[in-house]
Amino acid sequence: MCLLIRQPKNKVISDEKLQIAYENNEDGAGFSYARNGRVYVEKFRDFGKFLTNYKLAVQRFGKTSDFVVHFRLTTHGTNEGTFNVHPFKVNSRLSFAHNGVINGVGTSKKLSDTRLFNKR
């Protein structure tokens, strides 16, 4: 199952813990944070790129924003690129990530259950 982390502002997750999280959920990693009333989402398939961008974002915005960090383990939908990597942007002020399976949203070879839920 995926790993979902709420990181409160002024807190940092160690590189070691992030590495372990990725090694156990290596189908993509992403994070979201807020800035000036808007939510920003970044997604990666490469751990090194994830770590570099995560650390930069936390350095710049971690004093004023919580972060949502998600490590994906594919259960539904395509595993290519970052298409189904969480978090998902709902609108300019809201993003979300999910662990487990969402039933009743339909099935797709391309879209994960979470992406289908967000689309609805």
Side-chain angles (χ1 to χ4, degrees), residues 34-52:
R35 184 179 92 217
N36 298 326
R38 298 183 65 89
V39 69
Y40 294 84
V41 174
E42 298 189 37
K43 303 178 184 192
F44 305 89
R45 286 302 301 242
D46 177 82
F47 178 74
K49 290 179 183 177
F50 162 81
L51 185 61
T52 297

Side-chain angles (χ1 to χ4, degrees), residues 99-118:
N99 282 352
V101 176
I102 301 175
N103 295 311
V105 294
T107 60
S108 169
K109 289 185 179 184
K110 184 176 181 181
L111 284 69
S112 70
D113 53 334
T114 309
R115 183 169 277 286
L116 284 166
F117 176 82
N118 189 46

Side-chain angles (χ1 to χ4, degrees), residues 55-118:
K55 290 172 82 169
L56 181 61
V58 169
Q59 180 182 12
R60 293 178 69 195
F61 309 113
K63 290 185 173 126
T64 58
S65 177
D66 291 356
F67 276 65
V68 172
V69 184
H70 190 273
F71 296 90
R72 183 170 192 249
L73 185 62
T74 301
T75 55
H76 295 92
T78 186
N79 189 27
E80 296 180 20
T82 60
F83 184 73
N84 285 315
V85 174
H86 305 205
F88 291 100
K89 198 169 192 178
V90 177
N91 59 44
S92 66
R93 297 177 50 88
L94 180 65
S95 69
F96 84 104
H98 175 263
N99 282 352
V101 176
I102 301 175
N103 295 311
V105 294
T107 60
S108 169
K109 289 185 179 184
K110 184 176 181 181
L111 284 69
S112 70
D113 53 334
T114 309
R115 183 169 277 286
L116 284 166
F117 176 82
N118 189 46

